[in-house]
Amino acid sequence: MLLGKVIGSVWATQKEDGMENLKLLVIQPIDFSGREAGATVIAADRIGAGAGEKVIISRGSPARILFSGKNVPIDAMVVGIVDSYEIADTDE
Amino acid sequence: MLLGKVIGSVWATQKEDGMENLKLLVIQPIDFSGREAGATVIAADRIGAGAGEKVIISRGSPARILFSGKNVPIDAMVVGIVDSYEIADTDE
Amino acid sequence: MLLGKVIGSVWATQKEDGMENLKLLVIQPIDFSGREAGATVIAADRIGAGAGEKVIISRGSPARILFSGKNVPIDAMVVGIVDSYEIADTDE
Amino acid sequence: MLLGKVIGSVWATQKEDGMENLKLLVIQPIDFSGREAGATVIAADRIGAGAGEKVIISRGSPARILFSGKNVPIDAMVVGIVDSYEIADTDE
Amino acid sequence: MLLGKVIGSVWATQKEDGMENLKLLVIQPIDFSGREAGATVIAADRIGAGAGEKVIISRGSPARILFSGKNVPIDAMVVGIVDSYEIADTDE
């Protein structure tokens, strides 16, 4: 999974089957120092992440299994809202 | 998913099983400022995206599940035409 | 999918189950101006693409579904030979 | 798979179905000289990897099959703790 | 698939279910001129590739289907040992 920050939302009226009623967020991948780390990702969200929150994003087919009885053609999903993290000093 | 702009079409007569009657668009990934963000992608489209429109692209096996009764060997699909988006100012 | 040019072939006698009788091509990804766009890919081909031809490559598990009754461990496949393409002038 | 070093942990209270009781580690991909090799990855761990340990990370849907009876939407997993490795001098 | 050179081996005692009795090789991706092309990959090998040999690597879920009756959480596999290749001069 990757760490990201919610920076916005995107809306589409004309869309594929299975995309109805999905909230789509714009996610900026970041590193654990808060710096941007790569291009923005559009991810589906069902857990209510808000702008500015740090989230965990899962990509590829794992993102889709949450809808396993339905054909939802997404490739990225918010799977957690980050409460806290701890980065160890492991340099030798 | 990624944000992209439709910049063209591509045609192939000689093709694999399952590729018949698929409209293939050339997509330029862009960021939310409209700047190019990486190499072009060829994506299947069933929702009628036109040149210059901003679209949402899903990649990998999720793109294929829309054809779940059929073996369609695609790895990218237009899943929405963007109406609008909102980018929050979340800098702290 | 990505656009590529066939630049060669590769042969392996010692190989995994399911790799028998597969033609393996060396593909140089290119952009629609013909410029190289990233590292070469080895892709299976069943539609007879020849050296110098422009092809459409599908990657990941979608590439494999064409052999769905068989366990073929490929991750890239030629799915079309490009006849023509059209890139629109969409700059605003 | 990729080689990585465990550099931390991340916690999320609000999360998707299937993410309960998963230990999530922060992994810094490294090369076999110990140098950083790309952006950090968040990976699930069930084998008890500790901070500073070198681990093998599997990504994508393979990471998920370990939970095959359950819908666990992860895309990265610690699949081994590295005991040792040997890099041959193969330059010709 | 990608072209790589076997440059080493890696061992793990503590590992996930399905990783038992797997030989894990360290692969340096290379281009067809022999130059390094990206970060090393850890791949499972069942066909006996040796240090210095050029191999074909398949990634993602296709790599796993060879073990289809078993849950083997790998994402990269040696699928062929390269005998020879031919790169055409296709510049126009």
Side-chain angles (χ1 to χ4, degrees):
Chain A
M1 284 74 75
L2 63 82
L3 182 70
K5 190 166 73 165
V6 180
I7 62 165
S9 297
V10 54
W11 293 274
T13 305
Q14 217 167 329
K15 53 199 163 199
E16 264 292 349
D17 298 345
M19 298 294 288
E20 305 82 13
N21 306 317
L22 272 183
K23 187 166 73 166
L24 297 177
L25 298 181
V26 182
I27 308 295
Q28 172 62 57
I30 56 174
D31 65 20
F32 282 84
S33 309
R35 280 184 300 251
E36 299 191 359
T40 52
V41 172
I42 299 172
D45 171 54
R46 303 193 306 181
I47 59 177
E53 283 191 300
K54 288 189 176 69
V55 292
I56 302 170
I57 302 294
S58 190
R59 287 181 295 183
S61 60
R64 178 170 42 97
I65 62 165
L66 294 163
F67 306 89
S68 55
K70 254 183 83 186
N71 286 342
V72 178
I74 63 168
D75 66 6
M77 185 96 195
V78 177
V79 296
I81 300 176
V82 173
D83 290 323
S84 60
Y85 53 83
E86 183 181 298
I87 302 296
D89 179 3
T90 63
D91 289 340
E92 286 144 65
Chain B
M1 285 75 74
L2 64 81
L3 182 70
K5 190 167 73 166
V6 181
I7 61 164
S9 296
V10 54
W11 293 274
T13 305
Q14 218 167 327
K15 53 199 163 200
E16 264 292 349
D17 298 344
M19 297 294 289
E20 305 84 12
N21 305 318
L22 273 184
K23 188 166 74 165
L24 297 178
L25 298 181
V26 182
I27 307 296
Q28 172 61 57
I30 56 175
D31 64 19
F32 282 84
S33 308
R35 280 184 300 251
E36 299 190 359
T40 52
V41 172
I42 299 172
D45 170 54
R46 303 193 307 180
I47 59 176
E53 282 191 301
K54 288 189 176 68
V55 293
I56 301 171
I57 302 294
S58 190
R59 287 181 295 182
S61 61
R64 177 170 41 95
I65 62 166
L66 293 164
F67 306 89
S68 55
K70 253 183 84 186
N71 285 342
V72 177
I74 63 168
D75 67 4
M77 183 95 196
V78 177
V79 297
I81 301 177
V82 173
D83 290 323
S84 61
Y85 53 82
E86 183 180 299
I87 301 297
D89 180 4
T90 63
D91 288 341
E92 286 144 64
Chain C
M1 286 74 76
L2 63 83
L3 182 72
K5 189 166 74 165
V6 181
I7 62 165
S9 296
V10 55
W11 292 274
T13 305
Q14 218 166 328
K15 53 198 164 200
E16 264 292 349
D17 298 345
M19 298 294 289
E20 307 83 12
N21 307 317
L22 271 184
K23 188 165 74 164
L24 296 178
L25 299 181
V26 182
I27 307 295
Q28 172 62 57
I30 56 175
D31 65 21
F32 283 84
S33 309
R35 280 184 300 252
E36 299 190 359
T40 52
V41 172
I42 299 172
D45 171 54
R46 305 192 306 180
I47 58 175
E53 282 191 301
K54 287 189 177 68
V55 292
I56 301 170
I57 302 294
S58 189
R59 287 181 295 183
S61 60
R64 175 171 43 96
I65 62 165
L66 294 164
F67 307 89
S68 54
K70 253 183 83 185
N71 285 342
V72 177
I74 63 167
D75 67 4
M77 183 95 195
V78 177
V79 296
I81 301 177
V82 173
D83 290 322
S84 61
Y85 53 83
E86 183 181 299
I87 301 297
D89 179 3
T90 63
D91 288 341
E92 287 145 63
Chain D
M1 285 74 73
L2 64 83
L3 182 71
K5 190 166 74 164
V6 180
I7 62 165
S9 297
V10 54
W11 293 273
T13 305
Q14 217 166 329
K15 53 199 163 198
E16 263 292 348
D17 297 345
M19 298 294 289
E20 305 83 13
N21 305 318
L22 273 184
K23 188 166 73 165
L24 296 177
L25 298 181
V26 182
I27 308 295
Q28 172 62 57
I30 56 175
D31 65 19
F32 282 84
S33 309
R35 279 184 300 251
E36 299 190 359
T40 52
V41 172
I42 299 172
D45 171 54
R46 303 194 307 179
I47 59 177
E53 283 191 301
K54 287 188 176 69
V55 292
I56 301 170
I57 302 294
S58 190
R59 288 181 294 183
S61 60
R64 178 171 41 97
I65 63 167
L66 293 163
F67 306 90
S68 53
K70 253 181 84 184
N71 285 341
V72 178
I74 62 168
D75 66 5
M77 184 96 195
V78 177
V79 296
I81 300 176
V82 173
D83 291 322
S84 61
Y85 54 83
E86 184 181 298
I87 301 297
D89 180 3
T90 62
D91 289 341
E92 287 144 65
Chain E
M1 285 74 74
L2 64 83
L3 181 71
K5 189 165 75 164
V6 180
I7 63 165
S9 296
V10 55
W11 293 273
T13 305
Q14 217 167 329
K15 54 198 163 199
E16 263 292 348
D17 298 345
M19 298 294 290
E20 306 83 13
N21 306 317
L22 272 184
K23 187 165 74 164
L24 296 178
L25 299 181
V26 182
I27 308 294
Q28 172 62 57
I30 57 175
D31 65 20
F32 283 84
S33 309
R35 280 184 300 252
E36 299 188 0
T40 52
V41 172
I42 299 172
D45 171 53
R46 304 193 305 179
I47 59 176
E53 283 192 301
K54 287 188 176 70
V55 292
I56 300 170
I57 302 294
S58 190
R59 288 181 294 184
S61 60
R64 175 170 44 96
I65 63 166
L66 294 164
F67 306 90
S68 54
K70 254 182 83 184
N71 285 341
V72 178
I74 63 168
D75 66 5
M77 184 96 196
V78 177
V79 296
I81 301 177
V82 173
D83 291 322
S84 61
Y85 53 83
E86 184 181 298
I87 301 296
D89 180 2
T90 63
D91 288 340
E92 287 145 63

